Amino acid sequence: QAAKANQWFKVEQLLDEENERVKEKGQDGMTILHFACLGNRAELVRKVLDFESDPDAKTVYGVTPLAIA
């Protein structure tokens, strides 16, 4: 929810505390990586990928983070 609300500091703080959250998906299939790409947050994208977020994760519409970037 923090990523969806563009609360990037909170996203980074949550990842530092619970890095398994990078694998969570919203109802629409969006991951933190999708939102980081959507928000043009290159540093956060790198951090999320370091935590092994799936760069090929698809939303319910078949959209990957790469397609957003």
Side-chain angles (χ1 to χ4, degrees):
Q1 286 182 339
K4 197 171 191 175
N6 291 327
Q7 297 173 343
W8 302 112
F9 177 76
K10 186 166 184 159
V11 170
E12 290 189 44
Q13 185 180 21
L14 287 170
L15 287 176
D16 286 339
E17 294 170 5
E18 303 174 51
N19 61 22
E20 280 297 308
R21 298 189 86 166
V22 298
K23 297 176 180 148
E24 292 179 1
K25 290 185 173 190
Q27 289 180 335
D28 55 4
M30 295 276 283
T31 64
I32 292 174
L33 184 56
H34 284 91
F35 286 109
C37 290
L38 189 62
N40 293 318
R41 307 293 298 200
E43 188 175 317
L44 183 57
V45 167
R46 282 189 287 277
K47 185 174 191 171
V48 170
L49 287 171
D50 286 345
F51 286 132
E52 299 181 7
S53 181
D54 183 4
D56 297 317
K58 293 182 180 178
T59 67
V60 295
Y61 304 105
V63 179
T64 64
L66 181 59
I68 294 171

